[in-house]
Amino acid sequence: AERRLFRTEHLEPQAPCQLTLLIDCSGSMKQHNEPVALLADVLARALEQAGVVVEVLGFTTAAWNGGRAAKAWQRAGKPQHPGRLNEVRHLVFKDAMTSWRRARPGLATLQKNELFREGIDGEAVEWACARLRNASDELPIQRRILIVISDGSPMDTATNLANDAHYLDHHLRQVVEQQQTRGGIEILGLGVGLDLSPYYSRCQALDLGTAPTHATFGDITQLIAGRRHR
């Protein structure tokens, strides 16, 4: 029958967000594979503890200089404007439903040098955005973020030689513009020693000559918060 009751409310922050790290696994990124793997590992763990759903993806090609696709084009008589002349390889290091602890062996494969070949960014961004848009309905997602980690422009030797020199470059810009116009996904760029502002309106250049520092993660936090623009 006691009427003098008091309640202390406990406020717990929520993070109805899914974030995807899309890592460029082209040959030039090979020298940065250790700090990039560490960066992905720390971000995946920290964001998961904050309640954010995290995916870690990568993109490369199946061969150097075109491989089977380029050979098939040559056998066909080298018709003009063939488009992409290599087989893309899209990698899932950690999917949305796998915890950071269980995904650590997958994240460790970022240090396998044989994965790093050439980079076709535009199709990889399309693929990563499609995965974000098709996220499980069981996840209470209100904000979707894609962070592309790269050290330069798209590059596939066979494709560039058979098409306009800026073919892949223009395709990446077109894809980013289309996805941003469609809305629902924030696309950010983390440039490894390079400014990615020609492709991403929100971007940050990182110095990964050594292991990431507190300042590095501070810069990434500012970028995600929307306080850094081109």
Coordinates of all heavy atoms in Angstrom, one line a residue, residues 39-107:
L39 N 42.6 -1.2 -39.3 CA 41.5 -0.2 -39.3 C 40.1 -0.9 -39.4 O 39.2 -0.5 -38.6 CB 41.7 0.7 -40.5 CG 40.8 1.9 -40.6 CD1 41.1 3.0 -39.6 CD2 40.8 2.5 -42.0
A40 N 40.0 -1.8 -40.3 CA 38.7 -2.5 -40.4 C 38.3 -3.3 -39.2 O 37.2 -3.3 -38.7 CB 38.7 -3.4 -41.6
D41 N 39.3 -3.9 -38.6 CA 39.1 -4.7 -37.4 C 38.6 -3.9 -36.2 O 37.6 -4.2 -35.5 CB 40.4 -5.5 -37.0 CG 40.2 -6.4 -35.8 OD1 39.5 -7.5 -36.0 OD2 40.7 -6.1 -34.7
V42 N 39.3 -2.8 -36.0 CA 39.0 -1.9 -34.9 C 37.6 -1.2 -35.1 O 36.8 -1.2 -34.2 CB 40.1 -0.8 -34.7 CG1 39.6 0.2 -33.6 CG2 41.4 -1.5 -34.2
L43 N 37.3 -0.8 -36.3 CA 36.1 -0.1 -36.6 C 34.9 -1.1 -36.4 O 33.9 -0.8 -35.9 CB 36.1 0.5 -38.0 CG 36.8 1.8 -38.2 CD1 36.8 2.2 -39.7 CD2 36.2 2.9 -37.4
A44 N 35.1 -2.3 -37.0 CA 34.0 -3.3 -36.8 C 33.7 -3.6 -35.4 O 32.5 -3.7 -35.0 CB 34.4 -4.6 -37.6
R45 N 34.8 -3.8 -34.6 CA 34.5 -4.1 -33.2 C 33.9 -2.9 -32.4 O 32.9 -3.1 -31.7 CB 35.9 -4.4 -32.5 CG 35.7 -4.9 -31.1 CD 37.1 -5.2 -30.4 NE 36.9 -5.7 -29.1 CZ 37.9 -6.0 -28.3 NH1 39.2 -5.8 -28.7 NH2 37.7 -6.5 -27.1
A46 N 34.4 -1.7 -32.6 CA 33.9 -0.6 -31.9 C 32.4 -0.3 -32.3 O 31.6 0.0 -31.5 CB 34.8 0.7 -32.2
L47 N 32.1 -0.3 -33.6 CA 30.8 0.0 -34.1 C 29.8 -1.1 -33.6 O 28.7 -0.8 -33.3 CB 30.8 0.1 -35.6 CG 31.5 1.3 -36.2 CD1 31.7 1.2 -37.7 CD2 30.7 2.6 -35.8
E48 N 30.2 -2.3 -33.6 CA 29.3 -3.4 -33.1 C 29.0 -3.2 -31.6 O 27.9 -3.3 -31.2 CB 30.0 -4.8 -33.3 CG 29.2 -5.9 -32.8 CD 29.9 -7.2 -33.0 OE1 29.9 -7.8 -34.1 OE2 30.4 -7.8 -32.0
Q49 N 30.0 -2.7 -30.8 CA 29.7 -2.5 -29.4 C 28.8 -1.3 -29.2 O 28.1 -1.2 -28.2 CB 31.1 -2.2 -28.7 CG 31.9 -3.4 -28.5 CD 33.2 -3.1 -27.8 OE1 33.7 -2.0 -27.7 NE2 33.9 -4.2 -27.3
A50 N 28.8 -0.4 -30.2 CA 27.9 0.8 -30.2 C 26.5 0.4 -30.7 O 25.6 1.3 -30.7 CB 28.4 1.9 -31.0
G51 N 26.3 -0.8 -31.2 CA 25.0 -1.2 -31.6 C 24.8 -1.1 -33.1 O 23.7 -1.2 -33.6
V52 N 25.8 -0.7 -33.9 CA 25.8 -0.5 -35.3 C 26.0 -1.8 -36.0 O 26.8 -2.6 -35.7 CB 26.8 0.5 -35.8 CG1 26.8 0.7 -37.3 CG2 26.6 1.9 -35.1
V53 N 25.1 -2.1 -37.0 CA 25.3 -3.3 -37.9 C 26.4 -3.0 -38.9 O 26.4 -2.0 -39.6 CB 24.0 -3.7 -38.6 CG1 24.2 -4.9 -39.5 CG2 22.9 -3.9 -37.6
V54 N 27.4 -3.9 -39.0 CA 28.6 -3.6 -39.8 C 28.9 -4.7 -40.8 O 28.7 -5.9 -40.5 CB 29.9 -3.5 -38.9 CG1 31.1 -3.2 -39.7 CG2 29.7 -2.4 -37.8
E55 N 29.2 -4.3 -42.0 CA 29.7 -5.3 -43.0 C 31.0 -4.8 -43.5 O 31.3 -3.6 -43.5 CB 28.7 -5.3 -44.2 CG 27.6 -6.3 -44.1 CD 27.0 -6.7 -45.4 OE1 27.1 -6.0 -46.4 OE2 26.5 -7.8 -45.4
V56 N 31.9 -5.7 -43.8 CA 33.2 -5.4 -44.3 C 33.4 -6.1 -45.7 O 33.4 -7.4 -45.7 CB 34.4 -5.8 -43.4 CG1 35.7 -5.3 -44.0 CG2 34.2 -5.1 -42.0
L57 N 33.4 -5.4 -46.8 CA 33.5 -5.9 -48.1 C 34.7 -5.5 -48.8 O 35.4 -4.6 -48.4 CB 32.2 -5.5 -48.9 CG 30.9 -5.7 -48.3 CD1 29.8 -5.1 -49.2 CD2 30.6 -7.1 -48.0
G58 N 35.1 -6.2 -49.9 CA 36.2 -5.8 -50.7 C 35.9 -6.0 -52.2 O 35.0 -6.7 -52.5
F59 N 36.8 -5.5 -53.0 CA 36.7 -5.7 -54.4 C 38.0 -5.7 -55.1 O 38.9 -5.0 -54.7 CB 35.8 -4.6 -55.1 CG 36.3 -3.2 -55.0 CD1 37.0 -2.7 -56.1 CD2 36.1 -2.4 -53.9 CE1 37.5 -1.4 -56.1 CE2 36.6 -1.1 -53.9 CZ 37.3 -0.6 -54.9
T60 N 38.1 -6.6 -56.1 CA 39.3 -6.8 -56.8 C 38.9 -7.4 -58.2 O 37.7 -7.4 -58.5 CB 40.4 -7.7 -56.1 OG1 41.6 -7.8 -56.8 CG2 39.8 -9.0 -55.8
T61 N 39.9 -8.0 -58.9 CA 39.5 -8.7 -60.1 C 40.1 -10.2 -60.0 O 40.9 -10.5 -59.2 CB 40.1 -8.0 -61.4 OG1 41.6 -7.9 -61.2 CG2 39.5 -6.7 -61.5
A62 N 39.6 -11.0 -60.9 CA 40.0 -12.4 -60.9 C 41.4 -12.6 -61.5 O 42.0 -13.7 -61.4 CB 39.0 -13.3 -61.6
A63 N 41.9 -11.6 -62.3 CA 43.1 -11.8 -63.0 C 43.8 -10.4 -63.3 O 43.1 -9.4 -63.2 CB 42.9 -12.5 -64.3
W64 N 45.0 -10.5 -63.7 CA 45.7 -9.3 -64.2 C 45.5 -9.1 -65.7 O 45.4 -10.1 -66.4 CB 47.2 -9.4 -63.9 CG 47.6 -9.3 -62.5 CD1 47.9 -10.3 -61.6 CD2 47.8 -8.1 -61.7 NE1 48.3 -9.9 -60.4 CE2 48.2 -8.5 -60.4 CE3 47.6 -6.7 -61.9 CZ2 48.4 -7.6 -59.4 CZ3 47.8 -5.8 -60.9 CH2 48.3 -6.3 -59.7
N65 N 45.4 -7.9 -66.1 CA 45.3 -7.6 -67.6 C 44.2 -8.3 -68.3 O 44.3 -8.8 -69.4 CB 46.7 -8.0 -68.3 CG 47.8 -7.2 -67.6 OD1 47.8 -6.1 -67.4 ND2 48.9 -7.9 -67.4
G66 N 43.1 -8.5 -67.6 CA 41.9 -9.0 -68.3 C 41.6 -10.4 -68.1 O 40.4 -10.8 -68.0
G67 N 42.6 -11.3 -68.2 CA 42.3 -12.7 -68.0 C 41.4 -13.3 -69.1 O 41.6 -12.9 -70.3
R68 N 40.5 -14.1 -68.7 CA 39.6 -14.8 -69.7 C 38.8 -13.9 -70.5 O 38.5 -14.1 -71.7 CB 38.8 -15.9 -69.0 CG 39.6 -17.0 -68.4 CD 38.6 -18.1 -67.8 NE 37.9 -17.5 -66.7 CZ 36.9 -18.2 -66.0 NH1 36.7 -19.5 -66.3 NH2 36.2 -17.6 -65.0
A69 N 38.3 -12.8 -69.9 CA 37.4 -11.9 -70.6 C 38.2 -11.2 -71.7 O 37.6 -11.0 -72.8 CB 36.9 -10.8 -69.6
A70 N 39.4 -10.8 -71.5 CA 40.2 -10.1 -72.5 C 40.5 -11.1 -73.6 O 40.5 -10.7 -74.8 CB 41.5 -9.5 -71.9
K71 N 40.8 -12.3 -73.3 CA 41.1 -13.3 -74.3 C 39.9 -13.6 -75.2 O 40.0 -13.8 -76.4 CB 41.6 -14.6 -73.7 CG 43.0 -14.5 -73.0 CD 43.4 -15.8 -72.3 CE 44.7 -15.6 -71.6 NZ 45.1 -16.8 -70.9
A72 N 38.7 -13.7 -74.6 CA 37.5 -13.9 -75.4 C 37.2 -12.7 -76.3 O 36.8 -12.9 -77.4 CB 36.3 -14.0 -74.4
W73 N 37.5 -11.5 -75.9 CA 37.4 -10.3 -76.7 C 38.3 -10.3 -77.9 O 38.0 -10.0 -79.0 CB 37.6 -9.1 -75.9 CG 37.7 -7.8 -76.6 CD1 36.7 -7.1 -77.3 CD2 38.8 -7.0 -76.8 NE1 37.1 -6.0 -77.8 CE2 38.5 -5.8 -77.6 CE3 40.2 -7.1 -76.4 CZ2 39.4 -4.8 -77.9 CZ3 41.1 -6.1 -76.7 CH2 40.7 -5.0 -77.5
Q74 N 39.5 -10.8 -77.6 CA 40.5 -10.9 -78.7 C 40.1 -12.0 -79.7 O 40.2 -11.8 -81.0 CB 41.9 -11.3 -78.1 CG 42.5 -10.1 -77.3 CD 43.7 -10.6 -76.5 OE1 44.1 -11.7 -76.6 NE2 44.4 -9.6 -75.9
R75 N 39.6 -13.1 -79.3 CA 39.1 -14.1 -80.2 C 37.9 -13.7 -81.0 O 37.7 -14.1 -82.2 CB 38.7 -15.4 -79.4 CG 39.9 -16.2 -78.8 CD 39.4 -17.6 -78.4 NE 38.4 -17.5 -77.3 CZ 38.7 -17.5 -76.0 NH1 39.9 -17.6 -75.6 NH2 37.7 -17.5 -75.2
A76 N 37.1 -12.7 -80.5 CA 36.0 -12.2 -81.2 C 36.4 -11.1 -82.2 O 35.5 -10.5 -82.9 CB 35.0 -11.6 -80.2
G77 N 37.6 -10.8 -82.4 CA 38.1 -9.9 -83.4 C 38.3 -8.5 -82.8 O 38.3 -7.5 -83.6
K78 N 38.3 -8.3 -81.5 CA 38.5 -7.0 -80.8 C 37.4 -6.0 -81.3 O 37.8 -4.9 -81.8 CB 39.9 -6.5 -81.1 CG 41.0 -7.4 -80.5 CD 42.4 -6.7 -80.7 CE 43.5 -7.6 -80.2 NZ 44.8 -7.0 -80.3
P79 N 36.1 -6.2 -81.1 CA 35.1 -5.2 -81.4 C 35.3 -4.0 -80.6 O 35.8 -4.0 -79.5 CB 33.8 -5.9 -81.1 CG 34.2 -7.0 -80.1 CD 35.5 -7.4 -80.5
Q80 N 34.9 -2.8 -81.2 CA 35.1 -1.5 -80.5 C 34.2 -1.4 -79.3 O 33.1 -2.0 -79.3 CB 34.9 -0.4 -81.5 CG 35.9 -0.3 -82.6 CD 35.7 1.0 -83.4 OE1 34.7 1.5 -83.4 NE2 36.8 1.3 -84.1
H81 N 34.6 -0.6 -78.3 CA 33.8 -0.3 -77.1 C 33.3 -1.5 -76.4 O 32.1 -1.7 -76.2 CB 32.7 0.7 -77.5 CG 33.0 1.8 -78.4 ND1 33.9 2.8 -78.0 CD2 32.7 2.1 -79.6 CE1 34.1 3.7 -79.0 NE2 33.3 3.3 -80.0
P82 N 34.2 -2.4 -76.0 CA 33.8 -3.7 -75.4 C 33.3 -3.5 -74.0 O 32.6 -4.4 -73.5 CB 35.0 -4.5 -75.4 CG 36.1 -3.5 -75.3 CD 35.7 -2.3 -76.1
G83 N 33.6 -2.4 -73.3 CA 33.2 -2.3 -71.9 C 34.2 -3.0 -71.0 O 35.4 -3.1 -71.4
R84 N 33.8 -3.5 -69.9 CA 34.7 -4.1 -69.0 C 35.3 -5.4 -69.6 O 34.6 -6.2 -70.0 CB 34.0 -4.4 -67.6 CG 34.9 -5.3 -66.7 CD 34.3 -5.3 -65.3 NE 33.0 -5.7 -65.2 CZ 32.5 -7.0 -65.2 NH1 33.4 -8.0 -65.4 NH2 31.2 -7.3 -65.1
L85 N 36.6 -5.5 -69.4 CA 37.3 -6.7 -70.0 C 38.1 -7.4 -68.9 O 39.3 -7.8 -69.0 CB 38.3 -6.3 -71.1 CG 37.7 -5.9 -72.4 CD1 38.7 -5.5 -73.4 CD2 36.9 -7.1 -73.0
N86 N 37.4 -7.7 -67.8 CA 38.0 -8.5 -66.7 C 36.8 -9.0 -65.9 O 35.7 -8.5 -65.9 CB 38.9 -7.6 -65.8 CG 40.0 -8.5 -65.2 OD1 39.8 -9.7 -64.9 ND2 41.2 -7.9 -64.9
E87 N 37.1 -10.0 -65.1 CA 36.1 -10.6 -64.2 C 36.2 -9.9 -62.8 O 37.3 -10.0 -62.2 CB 36.3 -12.1 -64.1 CG 36.2 -12.8 -65.4 CD 36.7 -14.2 -65.4 OE1 36.1 -15.1 -64.7 OE2 37.8 -14.5 -66.0
V88 N 35.1 -9.3 -62.4 CA 35.2 -8.7 -61.1 C 35.1 -9.8 -60.0 O 34.5 -10.8 -60.2 CB 34.0 -7.7 -60.9 CG1 34.2 -6.5 -61.8 CG2 32.7 -8.4 -61.0
R89 N 35.7 -9.5 -58.9 CA 35.7 -10.4 -57.7 C 35.3 -9.6 -56.5 O 36.1 -8.7 -56.1 CB 37.0 -11.1 -57.5 CG 37.1 -12.0 -56.3 CD 38.4 -12.8 -56.2 NE 38.3 -13.9 -57.2 CZ 39.3 -14.7 -57.5 NH1 40.5 -14.5 -56.9 NH2 39.1 -15.6 -58.4
H90 N 34.1 -9.8 -56.0 CA 33.6 -9.1 -54.8 C 33.7 -10.0 -53.6 O 33.3 -11.2 -53.6 CB 32.1 -8.7 -55.1 CG 32.0 -7.7 -56.1 ND1 30.8 -7.4 -56.8 CD2 32.9 -6.8 -56.7 CE1 31.0 -6.4 -57.7 NE2 32.3 -6.1 -57.6
L91 N 34.3 -9.5 -52.6 CA 34.7 -10.2 -51.4 C 33.8 -9.8 -50.2 O 33.6 -8.6 -49.9 CB 36.1 -10.0 -51.1 CG 37.1 -10.2 -52.3 CD1 38.5 -9.7 -51.9 CD2 37.2 -11.7 -52.6
V92 N 33.4 -10.8 -49.4 CA 32.7 -10.5 -48.1 C 33.6 -11.0 -47.0 O 33.8 -12.2 -46.7 CB 31.4 -11.3 -48.0 CG1 30.7 -11.0 -46.7 CG2 30.5 -10.8 -49.2
F93 N 34.3 -10.0 -46.3 CA 35.1 -10.4 -45.2 C 34.3 -10.5 -43.9 O 34.7 -11.3 -43.0 CB 36.2 -9.3 -45.0 CG 37.1 -9.1 -46.1 CD1 37.0 -7.9 -46.9 CD2 38.0 -10.0 -46.5 CE1 37.8 -7.7 -48.0 CE2 38.8 -9.9 -47.6 CZ 38.7 -8.7 -48.4
K94 N 33.2 -9.7 -43.8 CA 32.3 -9.9 -42.6 C 30.9 -9.5 -43.1 O 30.8 -8.3 -43.6 CB 32.7 -9.0 -41.5 CG 31.8 -9.0 -40.3 CD 32.1 -7.9 -39.3 CE 31.1 -7.9 -38.1 NZ 29.7 -7.7 -38.6
D95 N 29.9 -10.3 -42.9 CA 28.6 -9.9 -43.3 C 27.8 -9.3 -42.2 O 28.3 -9.4 -41.0 CB 27.8 -11.1 -44.0 CG 27.6 -12.2 -43.0 OD1 27.2 -12.0 -41.8 OD2 27.7 -13.4 -43.4
A96 N 26.7 -8.8 -42.4 CA 25.9 -8.1 -41.4 C 25.5 -8.9 -40.2 O 25.4 -8.4 -39.1 CB 24.7 -7.4 -42.1
M97 N 25.2 -10.2 -40.5 CA 24.7 -11.1 -39.4 C 25.8 -11.8 -38.6 O 25.4 -12.5 -37.7 CB 23.7 -12.1 -40.0 CG 22.6 -11.4 -40.9 SD 21.7 -10.1 -40.0 CE 20.9 -11.1 -38.7
T98 N 27.0 -11.6 -39.0 CA 28.1 -12.3 -38.3 C 28.8 -11.3 -37.3 O 29.1 -10.2 -37.7 CB 29.2 -12.8 -39.3 OG1 28.5 -13.7 -40.2 CG2 30.3 -13.6 -38.6
S99 N 28.9 -11.8 -36.1 CA 29.6 -10.9 -35.1 C 31.0 -10.7 -35.4 O 31.7 -11.5 -36.1 CB 29.4 -11.6 -33.7 OG 30.2 -12.7 -33.6
W100 N 31.6 -9.6 -34.8 CA 33.0 -9.3 -35.0 C 33.9 -10.5 -34.6 O 34.8 -10.9 -35.3 CB 33.3 -8.1 -34.2 CG 34.8 -7.9 -34.1 CD1 35.7 -7.3 -35.0 CD2 35.6 -8.2 -32.9 NE1 37.0 -7.3 -34.5 CE2 37.0 -7.9 -33.3 CE3 35.4 -8.8 -31.7 CZ2 38.0 -8.1 -32.4 CZ3 36.4 -9.0 -30.8 CH2 37.7 -8.7 -31.2
R101 N 33.6 -11.1 -33.4 CA 34.4 -12.2 -32.9 C 34.4 -13.4 -33.9 O 35.5 -13.9 -34.2 CB 33.9 -12.7 -31.6 CG 34.8 -13.7 -30.9 CD 34.3 -14.0 -29.5 NE 34.2 -12.8 -28.7 CZ 35.2 -12.3 -28.0 NH1 36.4 -12.9 -28.1 NH2 35.1 -11.2 -27.3
R102 N 33.3 -13.7 -34.5 CA 33.3 -14.9 -35.4 C 33.8 -14.5 -36.8 O 34.3 -15.4 -37.5 CB 31.8 -15.4 -35.6 CG 31.3 -16.0 -34.4 CD 29.9 -16.6 -34.6 NE 29.4 -17.3 -33.5 CZ 29.6 -18.6 -33.2 NH1 30.4 -19.3 -34.0 NH2 29.1 -19.1 -32.1
A103 N 33.9 -13.2 -37.1 CA 34.3 -12.7 -38.4 C 35.8 -12.5 -38.4 O 36.4 -12.2 -39.5 CB 33.6 -11.5 -38.8
R104 N 36.5 -12.6 -37.3 CA 37.9 -12.2 -37.3 C 38.8 -13.0 -38.3 O 39.7 -12.5 -38.9 CB 38.5 -12.3 -35.9 CG 37.9 -11.3 -34.9 CD 38.8 -11.1 -33.7 NE 39.9 -10.2 -34.1 CZ 41.0 -10.0 -33.3 NH1 41.0 -10.6 -32.1 NH2 41.9 -9.2 -33.7
P105 N 38.5 -14.3 -38.5 CA 39.3 -15.1 -39.5 C 39.1 -14.5 -40.9 O 40.0 -14.4 -41.7 CB 38.8 -16.5 -39.4 CG 38.3 -16.6 -38.0 CD 37.7 -15.3 -37.7
G106 N 37.9 -14.1 -41.2 CA 37.6 -13.5 -42.5 C 38.3 -12.1 -42.6 O 38.8 -11.8 -43.7
L107 N 38.3 -11.3 -41.6 CA 39.0 -10.0 -41.6 C 40.5 -10.2 -41.8 O 41.2 -9.4 -42.5 CB 38.7 -9.2 -40.4 CG 37.2 -8.8 -40.2 CD1 37.1 -8.2 -38.8 CD2 36.9 -7.7 -41.2

